[in-house]
């Protein structure tokens, strides 16, 4: 059987205005234009989105789970990045 | 009963019936989903127009081919995928022009949004198949030569052809396809004179409904 | 368009509500599990500790080779079933007896293509190509649910498939919304949510037929008679004979045994059949007060194995149909690829 195969695209959908695009799944398409249309047909059959991104799967560089600790744990002790770290004197508004 | 509603409803119904034949047979699964979407839109349009003309099921299931008023273009067998796509291009661009000319009509306004997408889909594929491989180009040119004569009937009693050509011709050119000369222009659909194909299509579509007169489904 | 036709509530189906609630629960738990993430290290101990804590394995996590293979097989079979499952029902789109039914059925069969695609996408995260899976389906190296090797002879079969076959599928699938592999669980949640309408449309078709003319009622009963036992067989062989079960349960890619799920299905259907006014074709079916469940006659497992081996009424047709679509579309796929190459070439120059 012939092995010509359309490339894989990852699909990201913005469900509503005000929300970020979220990964919805993937699909195959010959090019970006078709990928976008296929994504619309496949992932928004029930009006699940207002905006779509398609990205060639081959174009994504992912962090490896093995590097997870070095990637993400250092942030765990930087509590000063989170607003709840700070004591706010009573009575201060709009901060 | 409005004749125009019947024409638009019949066109959309028969086009939907043909397109739905592709279900589970498309060249790729993603395309299966896309063609079904378009067929569903067309079926929805048919139901709205026919319901405005009368009872949708009576009109769809209990008329003979001599009473159907669709253009012959939509009743022709699907042929290969390229054939189906070109027919979709011709028909959707026609619908686009038609619904634009009916602005303010509730059904036309709703359908216009759907049809814009159909045109886009048909255009995408026409470009890819026309300007793809030697084989796909050959298939598209043959389909074009076969279908072109049937496009004339779309413009009986309206003045939409100039607008239609202004959309279709550049797409064909970009797809490296040669637009055929105008010549033979089969006609008769609007007055119930069809190709031999329609009677078979209806026999299949109506068989169950007619076997149980008066039943509810 | 297809969103408008089923806003009217079909007759209440005992059991259906709780299944959807279970999907919602699984989705909530999936989000909860994500909050206490433990994944990220190699090794079987760690892998099992993630699974035992009911957390999700994600695509790039370390996983035992057998887990990966088992999952690929299971997800692919499931995807294939959706795709082959388009055929028996698709068989009635052109002849649906009203335009409303035609629209609903077309939307349903389209959903199945969509579900197949969600599942293929989940399988592909395990490092296998869809093209390869598609080849394995066509040349028989991978299976699909045997139920789709039975023919749809009348319109009532479309109803019976919706009620019984989709019903059985949902009972099977709802627990999979909690499968340990993240992409699979997420795909299943999506599939189950969308499928709730499938079962209802089937039930509604049968309900309408059962309350229609005598011919229609007979058509409905005949369909239930033919689909009942094959639907029971969908849960697979009895627990003692099932080959993949134990390990899969341990890995949480299967969460209940075949017999447990089958029992759950039978108990659900009895009340639903009563409301339809149709009989389930099992003279041995009765309530067992002591066990608080129904006794019922097992399906013919020899028949199931014959069908699995390729000798059901429609095995050959189903595969030939799939192969024809795939091979017939080759020139289209080639053309699109050639065009994409041409255009990116121009853009780069």
């Amino acid at each position: 059987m012939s092995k010509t195969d359309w490339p894989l695209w990852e699909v990201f959908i913005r469900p509503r205005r005000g929300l970020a695009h979220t990964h919805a799944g993937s699909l195959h398409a010959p090019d970006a234009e078709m990928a976008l249309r296929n994504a619309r047909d496949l992932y928004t059959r029930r009006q699940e989105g207002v905006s779509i991104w398609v990205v060639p799967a081959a174009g994504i560089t992912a962090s490896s789970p093995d590097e997870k600790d070095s990637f993400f744990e250092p942030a765990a002790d930087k509590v000063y990045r989170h607003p709840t770290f700070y004591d706010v004197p009573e009575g201060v508004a709009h901060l | 009963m409005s004749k125009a509603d019947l024409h638009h409803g019949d066109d959309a119904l028969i086009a939907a019936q043909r397109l739905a034949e592709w279900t589970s047979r498309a060249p790729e699964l993603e395309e299966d989903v896309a063609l079904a979407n378009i067929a569903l839109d067309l079926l929805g349009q048919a139901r709205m127009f026919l319901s405005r003309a009368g009872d949708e099921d009576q009109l769809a299931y209990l008329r003979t081919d001599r009473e159907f008023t669709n253009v012959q273009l939509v009743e022709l067998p699907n042929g290969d995928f390229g054939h189906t796509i070109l027919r979709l291009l011709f028909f959707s661009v026609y619908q686009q022009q038609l619904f634009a000319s009916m602005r303010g009509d509730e059904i036309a306004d709703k359908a216009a949004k759907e049809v814009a997408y159909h045109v886009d889909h048909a255009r995408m594929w026409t470009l890819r198949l026309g300007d793809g491989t030697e084989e796909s180009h050959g298939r598209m040119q043959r389909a074009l030569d076969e279908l072109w004569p049937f496009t004339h009937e779309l413009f009986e009693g309206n003045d939409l052809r100039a607008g239609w050509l202004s959309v279709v011709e550049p797409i064909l050119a970009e797809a490296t396809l040669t637009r055929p000369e105008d010549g033979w222009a089969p006609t008769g659909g609007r007055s119930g004179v069809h190709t031999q194909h329609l009677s078979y299509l209806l026999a299949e579509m109506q068989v169950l409904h007619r076997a149980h007169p008066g039943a509810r489904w | 368009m297809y969103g408008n036709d089923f806003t009217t509530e079909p007759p209440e189906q005992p059991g259906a509500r709780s299944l959807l609630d279970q999907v919602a629960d699984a989705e909530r738990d999936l989000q909860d599990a994500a909050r206490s993430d433990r994944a990220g290290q190699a090794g079987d101990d760690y892998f099992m500790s993630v699974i035992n804590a009911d957390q999700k394995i994600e695509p790039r996590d370390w996983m035992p080779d057998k887990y990966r293979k088992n999952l690929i097989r299971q997800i692919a079979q499931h995807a294939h079933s959706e795709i082959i499952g388009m055929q028996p029902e698709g068989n009635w789109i052109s002849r649906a007896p009203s335009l409303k039914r035609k629209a609903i059925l077309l939307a349903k069969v389209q959903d199945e293509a969509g579900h197949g695609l969600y599942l293929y996408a989940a399988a592909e995260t395990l490092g296998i190509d869809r093209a390869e899976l598609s080849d394995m389906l066509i040349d028989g190296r991978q299976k699909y649910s045997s139920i789709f090797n039975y023919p749809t002879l009348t319109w009532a079969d479309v109803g019976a498939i919706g009620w019984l076959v989709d019903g059985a599928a949902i009972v099977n699938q709802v627990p999979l919304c909690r499968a340990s592999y993240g992409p699979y669980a997420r795909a299943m949640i999506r599939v189950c949510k969308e499928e709730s309408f499938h079962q209802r449309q089937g039930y509604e078709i049968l309900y309408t037929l059962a309350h229609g003319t005598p011919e229609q009622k007979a058509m409905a009963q005949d369909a239930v008679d033919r689909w009942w036992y094959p639907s029971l067989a969908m849960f697979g062989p009895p627990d003692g004979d099932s080959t993949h079960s134990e390990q899969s349960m341990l890995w949480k890619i299967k969460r209940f045994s075949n017999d447990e799920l089958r029992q759950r299905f039978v108990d659900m259907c009895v009340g639903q059949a009563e409301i339809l006014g149709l009989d389930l074709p099992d003279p041995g079916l009765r309530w067992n007060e002591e066990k608080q469940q129904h006794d019922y006659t097992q399906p013919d497992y020899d028949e199931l194995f014959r069908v699995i081996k390729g000798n059901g009424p429609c095995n050959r047709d189903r595969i030939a149909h799939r192969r024809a679509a795939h091979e017939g579309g080759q020139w289209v796929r080639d053309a699109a690829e050639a065009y994409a190459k041409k255009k990116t070439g121009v853009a780069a120059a």
Side-chain angles (χ1 to χ4, degrees), chain B residues 147-205:
Chain B
L147 286 169
W148 190 261
F150 289 91
T151 60
H152 294 285
E153 196 185 3
L154 292 166
F155 309 106
E156 286 172 9
N158 63 51
D159 54 3
L160 302 172
R161 188 160 192 253
W164 183 84
L165 283 172
S166 74
V167 179
V168 165
E169 282 180 337
I171 297 175
L172 295 180
E174 194 184 341
T176 71
L177 297 168
T178 311
R179 172 223 196 273
E181 294 296 317
D182 293 332
W184 181 50
T187 177
R190 295 286 182 226
S191 53
V193 177
H194 292 277
T195 66
Q196 295 186 162
H197 304 293
L198 182 64
S199 174
Y200 288 98
L201 180 149
L202 295 180
E204 183 174 336
M205 185 171 89

Side-chain angles (χ1 to χ4, degrees), chain B residues 22-42:
Chain B
W22 275 99
T23 307
S24 78
R25 294 181 171 85
E28 190 52 278
L29 295 173
E30 280 85 353
E31 187 60 21
D32 226 304
V33 177
L35 290 179
N37 259 348
I38 298 174
L40 277 167
D41 286 344
L42 289 170

